């Protein structure tokens, strides 16, 4: 990944085997341009310049959406998302697992919340989402892969920074653990999105046509994720 700028816009450039250039605003507000290997840098700068109105508008929308980001605290009664539903947190003593979900509540070992380091409690949630996600998302990939006409090599759930998911050129899928905070319908959209990248690594019309074949209502789910995705955090 290289840094560059055009028309006063700072962006990161990622080159890959894709056929067309694509500009995205990542979840941290970073502008990322993904482009084919053969496209010259000055041509990419021209593409960014031509899209500057869209980029500035998208960045303004990103700032508005992130202004409502929820900062959660690891204390009794705080709400944490799982599969689209908010569950209240209860700190407990004597529980073997760091975190469990029982009787409509997240139960977190008290010493993790009171350790003085919030990263300890965050790790318990991340590990919970990763463990559950590998099974649940794996099943959704297995369900949708034949419908998309593809055969991914592997599926994993892990930390992916500012990306909801990724698809490697050899067919390895990875999903951010934060996907487990979304409703199942949104998880399905993310799964189908990545599966269709096995047909087209870019976001061309041909790619979206593949998504539409599997999920004709994908636009509503895509917009839901764009608007509410900022709340999927710890």
């Amino acid at each position: 990944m290289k840094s560059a700028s055009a028309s006063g816009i700072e962006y990161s450039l990622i080159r890959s085997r894709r056929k067309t250039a694509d500009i995205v605003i990542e979840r941290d507000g970073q502008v990322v341009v993904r482009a084919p290997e053969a496209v010259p840098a000055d041509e990419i700068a021209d593409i960014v310049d031509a899209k500057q109105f869209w980029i500035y508008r998208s960045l303004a929308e990103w700032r508005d959406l992130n202004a409502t980001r929820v900062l959660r605290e690891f204390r009794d009664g705080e709400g944490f998302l799982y599969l689209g539903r908010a569950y209240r947190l209860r700190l407990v003593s004597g529980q073997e697992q760091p975190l469990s979900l029982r009787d409509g509540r997240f139960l977190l070992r008290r010493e993790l919340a009171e350790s003085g380091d919030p990263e300890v409690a965050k790790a318990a949630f991340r590990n919970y989402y990763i463990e559950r996600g590998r099974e649940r998302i794996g099943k959704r990939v297995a369900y949708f892969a034949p419908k998309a006409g593809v055969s991914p090599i592997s599926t994993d759930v892990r930390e992916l920074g500012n990306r909801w998911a990724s698809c490697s050129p050899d067919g390895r899928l990875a999903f951010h653990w934060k996907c487990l905070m979304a409703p199942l319908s949104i998880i399905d959209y993310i799964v189908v999105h990545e599966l269709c990248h096995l047909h087209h690594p870019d976001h061309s019309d041909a790619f979206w046509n593949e998504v539409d074949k599997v999920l004709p209502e994908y636009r509503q789910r895509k917009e839901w994720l764009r608007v509410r995705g900022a709340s999927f955090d710890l």
Side-chain angles (χ1 to χ4, degrees):
M1 182 183 297
K2 296 182 179 180
S3 297
S5 65
S7 301
I9 299 172
E10 299 289 332
Y11 62 91
S12 296
L13 175 60
I14 301 175
R15 295 187 180 273
S16 67
R17 65 184 179 92
R18 66 192 303 122
K19 296 180 180 179
T20 60
D22 185 31
I23 303 175
V24 298
I25 309 300
E26 295 285 13
R27 285 167 48 220
D28 63 349
Q30 182 182 24
V31 180
V32 175
V33 180
R34 297 185 176 91
E37 296 283 357
V39 177
D42 57 350
E43 186 173 330
I44 294 173
D46 289 341
I47 293 172
V48 172
D49 182 63
K51 289 282 190 177
Q52 62 176 299
F53 176 76
W54 177 87
I55 292 171
Y56 283 123
R57 184 186 65 191
S58 298
L59 288 172
E61 290 178 353
W62 176 85
R63 285 189 288 270
D64 289 342
L65 293 173
N66 280 267
T68 59
R69 174 173 290 182
V70 177
L71 297 178
R72 296 178 172 87
E73 298 182 14
F74 299 96
R75 61 182 182 183
D76 283 320
E78 184 68 274
F80 288 84
L81 294 170
Y82 180 61
L83 301 181
R85 177 182 169 185
Y87 293 89
R88 296 296 180 185
L89 181 66
R90 177 182 295 168
L91 304 182
V92 296
S93 302
Q95 177 174 266
E96 182 177 352
Q97 312 99 311
L99 180 71
S100 63
L101 180 57
R102 295 201 307 269
D103 301 324
R105 283 185 177 269
F106 270 121
L107 305 180
L108 177 68
R109 278 184 8 207
R110 182 176 297 276
E111 62 267 26
L112 300 182
E114 297 177 351
S115 67
D117 182 0
E119 290 301 319
V120 175
K122 287 182 181 180
F125 273 89
R126 282 195 296 267
N127 293 339
Y128 183 92
Y129 291 134
I130 288 171
E131 182 180 348
R132 272 48 178 197
R134 284 173 175 161
E135 178 182 2
R136 185 174 290 276
I137 292 181
K139 289 181 179 179
R140 301 313 288 165
V141 169
Y143 174 79
F144 281 111
K147 298 179 183 295
V150 295
S151 300
I153 292 177
S154 63
T155 302
D156 194 16
V157 177
R158 61 176 186 264
E159 173 65 51
L160 285 178
N162 295 307
R163 303 185 69 182
W164 289 115
S166 67
C167 174
S168 69
D170 63 354
R172 301 179 191 276
L173 305 182
F175 298 86
H176 201 301
W177 56 265
K178 290 181 182 179
C179 291
L180 273 292
M181 296 183 179
L184 288 172
S185 62
I186 305 304
I187 293 175
D188 283 350
Y189 161 69
I190 297 171
V191 166
V192 170
H193 185 117
E194 294 309 312
L195 287 171
C196 289
H197 274 315
L198 293 176
H199 288 297
H200 303 281
D202 51 26
H203 290 101
S204 61
D205 289 344
F207 164 78
W208 291 113
N209 285 339
E210 292 295 335
V211 176
D212 186 71
K213 291 177 186 177
V214 184
L215 281 180
E217 70 282 14
Y218 79 87
R219 293 175 183 83
Q220 298 95 308
R221 305 188 194 195
K222 177 185 177 185
E223 178 64 10
W224 191 100
L225 184 62
R226 185 189 72 82
V227 172
R228 305 195 185 189
S231 66
F232 298 170
D233 210 346
L234 295 177

PDB file of all heavy atoms in Angstrom, residues 175-188:
ATOM      1  N   PHE A 175     -13.490 -12.673   7.402  1.00  0.00           N
ATOM      2  CA  PHE A 175     -14.531 -11.749   7.840  1.00  0.00           C
ATOM      3  C   PHE A 175     -14.129 -11.128   9.175  1.00  0.00           C
ATOM      4  O   PHE A 175     -13.569 -11.798  10.042  1.00  0.00           O
ATOM      5  CB  PHE A 175     -15.867 -12.480   7.983  1.00  0.00           C
ATOM      6  CG  PHE A 175     -16.370 -13.061   6.691  1.00  0.00           C
ATOM      7  CD1 PHE A 175     -15.956 -14.316   6.267  1.00  0.00           C
ATOM      8  CD2 PHE A 175     -17.225 -12.335   5.874  1.00  0.00           C
ATOM      9  CE1 PHE A 175     -16.391 -14.845   5.064  1.00  0.00           C
ATOM     10  CE2 PHE A 175     -17.672 -12.856   4.675  1.00  0.00           C
ATOM     11  CZ  PHE A 175     -17.253 -14.109   4.268  1.00  0.00           C
ATOM     12  N   HIS A 176     -14.435  -9.837   9.302  1.00  0.00           N
ATOM     13  CA  HIS A 176     -14.133  -9.133  10.554  1.00  0.00           C
ATOM     14  C   HIS A 176     -15.036  -9.674  11.658  1.00  0.00           C
ATOM     15  O   HIS A 176     -16.224  -9.923  11.433  1.00  0.00           O
ATOM     16  CB  HIS A 176     -14.371  -7.634  10.370  1.00  0.00           C
ATOM     17  CG  HIS A 176     -13.647  -6.785  11.373  1.00  0.00           C
ATOM     18  ND1 HIS A 176     -13.844  -6.901  12.736  1.00  0.00           N
ATOM     19  CD2 HIS A 176     -12.715  -5.809  11.208  1.00  0.00           C
ATOM     20  CE1 HIS A 176     -13.076  -6.034  13.366  1.00  0.00           C
ATOM     21  NE2 HIS A 176     -12.377  -5.357  12.468  1.00  0.00           N
ATOM     22  N   TRP A 177     -14.491  -9.815  12.847  1.00  0.00           N
ATOM     23  CA  TRP A 177     -15.294 -10.302  13.978  1.00  0.00           C
ATOM     24  C   TRP A 177     -16.464  -9.360  14.284  1.00  0.00           C
ATOM     25  O   TRP A 177     -17.487  -9.791  14.829  1.00  0.00           O
ATOM     26  CB  TRP A 177     -14.433 -10.503  15.222  1.00  0.00           C
ATOM     27  CG  TRP A 177     -13.659  -9.316  15.679  1.00  0.00           C
ATOM     28  CD1 TRP A 177     -12.365  -9.005  15.376  1.00  0.00           C
ATOM     29  CD2 TRP A 177     -14.115  -8.263  16.544  1.00  0.00           C
ATOM     30  NE1 TRP A 177     -11.992  -7.825  15.983  1.00  0.00           N
ATOM     31  CE2 TRP A 177     -13.039  -7.357  16.707  1.00  0.00           C
ATOM     32  CE3 TRP A 177     -15.315  -8.016  17.198  1.00  0.00           C
ATOM     33  CZ2 TRP A 177     -13.141  -6.201  17.492  1.00  0.00           C
ATOM     34  CZ3 TRP A 177     -15.425  -6.864  17.981  1.00  0.00           C
ATOM     35  CH2 TRP A 177     -14.345  -5.988  18.126  1.00  0.00           C
ATOM     36  N   LYS A 178     -16.348  -8.093  13.898  1.00  0.00           N
ATOM     37  CA  LYS A 178     -17.444  -7.154  14.152  1.00  0.00           C
ATOM     38  C   LYS A 178     -18.683  -7.474  13.317  1.00  0.00           C
ATOM     39  O   LYS A 178     -19.763  -6.964  13.604  1.00  0.00           O
ATOM     40  CB  LYS A 178     -16.980  -5.722  13.884  1.00  0.00           C
ATOM     41  CG  LYS A 178     -15.968  -5.218  14.912  1.00  0.00           C
ATOM     42  CD  LYS A 178     -15.553  -3.787  14.624  1.00  0.00           C
ATOM     43  CE  LYS A 178     -14.508  -3.313  15.634  1.00  0.00           C
ATOM     44  NZ  LYS A 178     -14.057  -1.927  15.379  1.00  0.00           N
ATOM     45  N   CYS A 179     -18.527  -8.302  12.283  1.00  0.00           N
ATOM     46  CA  CYS A 179     -19.702  -8.720  11.506  1.00  0.00           C
ATOM     47  C   CYS A 179     -20.734  -9.400  12.396  1.00  0.00           C
ATOM     48  O   CYS A 179     -21.932  -9.363  12.109  1.00  0.00           O
ATOM     49  CB  CYS A 179     -19.294  -9.674  10.384  1.00  0.00           C
ATOM     50  SG  CYS A 179     -18.326  -8.922   9.056  1.00  0.00           S
ATOM     51  N   LEU A 180     -20.274 -10.031  13.487  1.00  0.00           N
ATOM     52  CA  LEU A 180     -21.185 -10.758  14.366  1.00  0.00           C
ATOM     53  C   LEU A 180     -22.092  -9.830  15.154  1.00  0.00           C
ATOM     54  O   LEU A 180     -23.037 -10.284  15.812  1.00  0.00           O
ATOM     55  CB  LEU A 180     -20.385 -11.653  15.330  1.00  0.00           C
ATOM     56  CG  LEU A 180     -20.040 -13.054  14.793  1.00  0.00           C
ATOM     57  CD1 LEU A 180     -21.301 -13.898  14.647  1.00  0.00           C
ATOM     58  CD2 LEU A 180     -19.304 -12.992  13.469  1.00  0.00           C
ATOM     59  N   MET A 181     -21.842  -8.532  15.095  1.00  0.00           N
ATOM     60  CA  MET A 181     -22.737  -7.582  15.735  1.00  0.00           C
ATOM     61  C   MET A 181     -23.947  -7.281  14.857  1.00  0.00           C
ATOM     62  O   MET A 181     -24.964  -6.772  15.339  1.00  0.00           O
ATOM     63  CB  MET A 181     -21.994  -6.276  16.035  1.00  0.00           C
ATOM     64  CG  MET A 181     -20.853  -6.419  17.025  1.00  0.00           C
ATOM     65  SD  MET A 181     -20.089  -4.820  17.369  1.00  0.00           S
ATOM     66  CE  MET A 181     -18.835  -5.302  18.568  1.00  0.00           C
ATOM     67  N   ALA A 182     -23.853  -7.592  13.568  1.00  0.00           N
ATOM     68  CA  ALA A 182     -24.903  -7.254  12.608  1.00  0.00           C
ATOM     69  C   ALA A 182     -26.014  -8.298  12.599  1.00  0.00           C
ATOM     70  O   ALA A 182     -25.802  -9.452  12.970  1.00  0.00           O
ATOM     71  CB  ALA A 182     -24.296  -7.142  11.213  1.00  0.00           C
ATOM     72  N   PRO A 183     -27.210  -7.919  12.138  1.00  0.00           N
ATOM     73  CA  PRO A 183     -28.288  -8.907  11.957  1.00  0.00           C
ATOM     74  C   PRO A 183     -27.878  -9.949  10.918  1.00  0.00           C
ATOM     75  O   PRO A 183     -27.021  -9.705  10.067  1.00  0.00           O
ATOM     76  CB  PRO A 183     -29.458  -8.049  11.450  1.00  0.00           C
ATOM     77  CG  PRO A 183     -29.138  -6.662  11.875  1.00  0.00           C
ATOM     78  CD  PRO A 183     -27.650  -6.543  11.843  1.00  0.00           C
ATOM     79  N   LEU A 184     -28.520 -11.093  10.975  1.00  0.00           N
ATOM     80  CA  LEU A 184     -28.180 -12.179  10.065  1.00  0.00           C
ATOM     81  C   LEU A 184     -28.336 -11.761   8.598  1.00  0.00           C
ATOM     82  O   LEU A 184     -27.559 -12.187   7.735  1.00  0.00           O
ATOM     83  CB  LEU A 184     -29.049 -13.401  10.357  1.00  0.00           C
ATOM     84  CG  LEU A 184     -28.709 -14.145  11.657  1.00  0.00           C
ATOM     85  CD1 LEU A 184     -29.747 -15.219  11.933  1.00  0.00           C
ATOM     86  CD2 LEU A 184     -27.325 -14.765  11.557  1.00  0.00           C
ATOM     87  N   SER A 185     -29.338 -10.947   8.307  1.00  0.00           N
ATOM     88  CA  SER A 185     -29.549 -10.526   6.918  1.00  0.00           C
ATOM     89  C   SER A 185     -28.371  -9.715   6.400  1.00  0.00           C
ATOM     90  O   SER A 185     -28.016  -9.796   5.216  1.00  0.00           O
ATOM     91  CB  SER A 185     -30.839  -9.706   6.800  1.00  0.00           C
ATOM     92  OG  SER A 185     -30.758  -8.527   7.579  1.00  0.00           O
ATOM     93  N   ILE A 186     -27.742  -8.941   7.280  1.00  0.00           N
ATOM     94  CA  ILE A 186     -26.590  -8.128   6.877  1.00  0.00           C
ATOM     95  C   ILE A 186     -25.355  -9.013   6.749  1.00  0.00           C
ATOM     96  O   ILE A 186     -24.532  -8.827   5.847  1.00  0.00           O
ATOM     97  CB  ILE A 186     -26.349  -6.996   7.881  1.00  0.00           C
ATOM     98  CG1 ILE A 186     -27.622  -6.159   8.040  1.00  0.00           C
ATOM     99  CG2 ILE A 186     -25.181  -6.126   7.433  1.00  0.00           C
ATOM    100  CD1 ILE A 186     -28.163  -5.577   6.744  1.00  0.00           C
ATOM    101  N   ILE A 187     -25.212  -9.977   7.644  1.00  0.00           N
ATOM    102  CA  ILE A 187     -24.111 -10.935   7.526  1.00  0.00           C
ATOM    103  C   ILE A 187     -24.204 -11.668   6.196  1.00  0.00           C
ATOM    104  O   ILE A 187     -23.206 -11.872   5.502  1.00  0.00           O
ATOM    105  CB  ILE A 187     -24.121 -11.922   8.705  1.00  0.00           C
ATOM    106  CG1 ILE A 187     -23.788 -11.196  10.019  1.00  0.00           C
ATOM    107  CG2 ILE A 187     -23.120 -13.067   8.469  1.00  0.00           C
ATOM    108  CD1 ILE A 187     -23.882 -12.063  11.250  1.00  0.00           C
ATOM    109  N   ASP A 188     -25.415 -12.050   5.818  1.00  0.00           N
ATOM    110  CA  ASP A 188     -25.606 -12.731   4.536  1.00  0.00           C
ATOM    111  C   ASP A 188     -25.162 -11.841   3.374  1.00  0.00           C
ATOM    112  O   ASP A 188     -24.539 -12.323   2.414  1.00  0.00           O
ATOM    113  CB  ASP A 188     -27.067 -13.135   4.358  1.00  0.00           C
ATOM    114  CG  ASP A 188     -27.436 -14.369   5.159  1.00  0.00           C
ATOM    115  OD1 ASP A 188     -26.527 -15.030   5.700  1.00  0.00           O
ATOM    116  OD2 ASP A 188     -28.641 -14.675   5.237  1.00  0.00           O
TER     117      ASP A 188
END
